[in-house]
Amino acid sequence: MIASIHFEDDKKTLQVEASQPLTKICDEHPVSILFGCRCVACGTCLIEILSGMDNLSPIREEERILLDILVPDHPNLRLACQCVVQGDIRIRVAN
């Protein structure tokens, strides 16, 4: 299955094979998402999901804990390092 990822900040849309970690996709196709630790510790890769939240892997407990600390009450934010792309999404770096 092919998934479309639109990076709003970079005005770039990629067509990629689904079921890939977003980190791998960003490593292969550089975009403006910055990754720090890549293990749910720093929050550097905070992104806003503009559409397609259901097309990302579910939020695991470790990510939920950090999101609740960093950005409580913002259900459209995720840590890019924890997302596996399963379908079409549109994202941007969170402010």
Side-chain angles (χ1 to χ4, degrees):
M1 178 179 168
I2 299 296
S4 174
I5 306 173
H6 181 73
F7 297 88
E8 192 74 21
D9 301 292
D10 302 290
K11 309 289 187 233
K12 179 190 284 188
T13 301
L14 300 175
Q15 305 293 320
V16 300
E17 193 68 36
S19 301
Q20 292 189 66
L22 189 53
T23 51
K24 180 177 183 257
I25 295 166
C26 292
D27 287 344
E28 293 173 356
H29 307 277
V31 293
S32 53
I33 299 172
L34 299 176
F35 292 95
C37 67
R38 295 178 181 240
C39 62
V40 196
C42 70
T44 302
C45 61
L46 195 63
I47 56 173
E48 181 178 9
I49 313 304
L50 302 173
S51 66
M53 181 66 88
D54 292 340
N55 292 329
L56 292 172
S57 54
I59 298 175
R60 294 185 306 179
E61 184 64 21
E62 301 150 325
E63 182 182 5
R64 170 57 52 215
I65 291 169
L66 187 57
L67 289 172
D68 286 346
I69 293 168
L70 296 176
V71 286
D73 304 320
H74 290 285
N76 293 335
L77 300 181
R78 293 284 310 265
L79 296 174
C81 69
Q82 298 303 297
C83 295
V84 175
V85 178
Q86 299 172 331
D88 298 347
I89 59 171
R90 196 168 135 245
I91 59 178
R92 71 177 166 204
V93 174
N95 294 322

